[in-house]
């Protein structure tokens, strides 16, 4: 009887000792999971709240969703109306150095196409943006865009393919088309018929969210 009690006591002590050893590892894992992250949005007017009340754009709505989801992530919205891929390429190094983001959302290229810039230049700039972000240890989400057919079928189709091609080549996350369920609804655009209105912003966020959420865990 005493021998059995002795063995039982030893087993309890071993279990307690193992639990004590495991606690620092569990605390470290919990700390790593909840460590704050920084998300950098590098975009154009579609992300810069052009024509919208401050705080009503999709990036602001994203901030609220992150809080609701209890994802410890802060957002740096470095979007500028009229921005092109070359402009983003020029600004990105300083942004990466200053903010050290964990994730970079690249929402650029539409203004390149609207100005009829060479597709090869846009492709090279997108690649440079991805390369710089990766070199800074950031995950990348590429936001795909399309343009109206009045720019010619060849240019329109080739532009549309730039984004999935870059995502495949670099194995980055991709939003196939940022304006999905918006582009074909005139009521969701401002008077200029180019920029989504406030009612469209939740749809834009819903287009981005499925590709973004896995990058924040």
């Amino acid at each position: 009887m005493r021998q059995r009690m002795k063995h039982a006591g030893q087993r309890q002590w071993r279990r307690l000792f193992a639990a004590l050893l495991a606690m620092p590892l569990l605390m470290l894992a919990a700390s790593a999971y909840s460590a704050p992250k920084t998300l950098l949005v590098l975009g154009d007017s579609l992300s810069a709240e052009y024509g919208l009340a401050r705080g009503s754009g999709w990036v602001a709505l994203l901030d609220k969703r992150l809080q609701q989801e209890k994802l410890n992530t802060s957002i740096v919205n470095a979007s500028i109306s009229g921005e092109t891929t070359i402009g983003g390429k020029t600004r990105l190094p300083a942004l990466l150095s200053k903010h050290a983001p964990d994730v970079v959302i690249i929402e650029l290229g539409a203004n390149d196409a609207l100005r009829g810039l060479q597709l090869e230049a846009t492709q090279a700039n997108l690649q440079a943006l991805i390369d710089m972000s990766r070199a800074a240890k950031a995950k990348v989400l590429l936001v795909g865009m399309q343009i109206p057919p009045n720019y010619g079928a060849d240019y329109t189709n080739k532009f549309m393919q730039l984004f999935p091609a870059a995502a495949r080549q670099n194995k980055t996350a991709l939003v196939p088309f940022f304006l999905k369920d918006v582009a074909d609804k005139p009521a969701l655009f401002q008077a200029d018929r180019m920029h989504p209105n406030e009612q469209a912003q939740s749809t834009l966020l819903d287009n981005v969210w499925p590709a973004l959420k896995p990058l924040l865990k």
Side-chain angles (χ1 to χ4, degrees):
M1 182 69 176
R2 289 179 182 175
Q3 192 69 13
R4 286 199 298 272
M5 291 177 64
K6 179 180 179 181
H7 289 321
Q10 290 175 341
R11 286 196 297 271
Q12 289 177 346
W13 276 108
R14 282 197 294 268
R15 286 197 291 268
L16 178 59
F17 185 64
L20 290 172
L21 287 176
M23 283 182 64
L25 296 175
L26 293 173
M27 292 175 66
L28 181 62
S31 175
Y33 183 80
S34 61
K37 292 182 172 60
T38 299
L39 168 63
L40 174 66
V41 182
L42 187 69
D44 51 33
S45 57
L46 299 179
S47 300
E49 295 187 330
Y50 177 88
L52 303 175
R54 297 305 90 179
S56 64
W58 76 270
V59 179
L61 298 181
L62 171 60
D63 188 40
K64 295 177 182 178
R65 182 167 296 185
L66 292 172
Q67 295 177 39
Q68 293 169 354
E69 296 275 339
K70 294 181 170 42
L71 292 171
N72 192 4
T73 304
S74 61
I75 299 177
V76 176
N77 190 356
S79 303
I80 297 177
S81 294
E83 185 69 290
T84 60
T85 56
I86 187 63
K89 178 182 172 182
T90 301
R91 293 193 298 123
L92 185 56
L95 292 167
L96 293 172
S97 177
K98 180 178 180 180
H99 301 291
D102 299 278
V103 179
V104 175
I105 296 179
I106 301 172
E107 184 273 297
L108 291 173
N111 287 315
D112 294 42
L114 294 176
R115 297 177 187 184
L117 301 182
Q118 292 292 322
L119 293 175
E120 293 78 7
T122 299
Q123 181 181 29
N125 292 333
L126 288 174
Q127 185 62 54
L129 292 169
I130 294 170
D131 290 342
M132 286 188 284
S133 300
R134 286 261 177 91
K137 309 300 182 185
K139 299 176 183 176
V140 175
L141 172 58
L142 192 60
V143 178
M145 279 298 298
Q146 298 176 20
I147 56 173
N150 53 301
Y151 285 81
D154 184 62
Y155 188 90
T156 299
N157 290 332
K158 287 181 177 177
F159 175 78
M160 181 176 62
Q161 292 304 318
L162 286 179
F163 301 93
R168 283 194 304 271
Q169 179 178 337
N170 295 279
K171 295 181 172 57
T172 69
L174 172 70
V175 176
F177 181 33
F178 190 29
L179 299 185
K180 178 186 175 184
D181 297 326
V182 173
D184 58 345
K185 296 179 174 60
L188 294 180
F189 283 83
Q190 299 177 42
D192 62 10
R193 299 183 182 180
M194 293 181 61
H195 294 92
N197 59 27
E198 188 171 331
Q199 288 68 41
Q201 300 304 306
S202 59
T203 301
L204 298 182
L205 174 56
D206 288 340
N207 290 340
V208 172
W209 184 248
L212 174 61
K213 186 176 180 180
L215 304 182
L216 299 175
K217 293 185 175 179

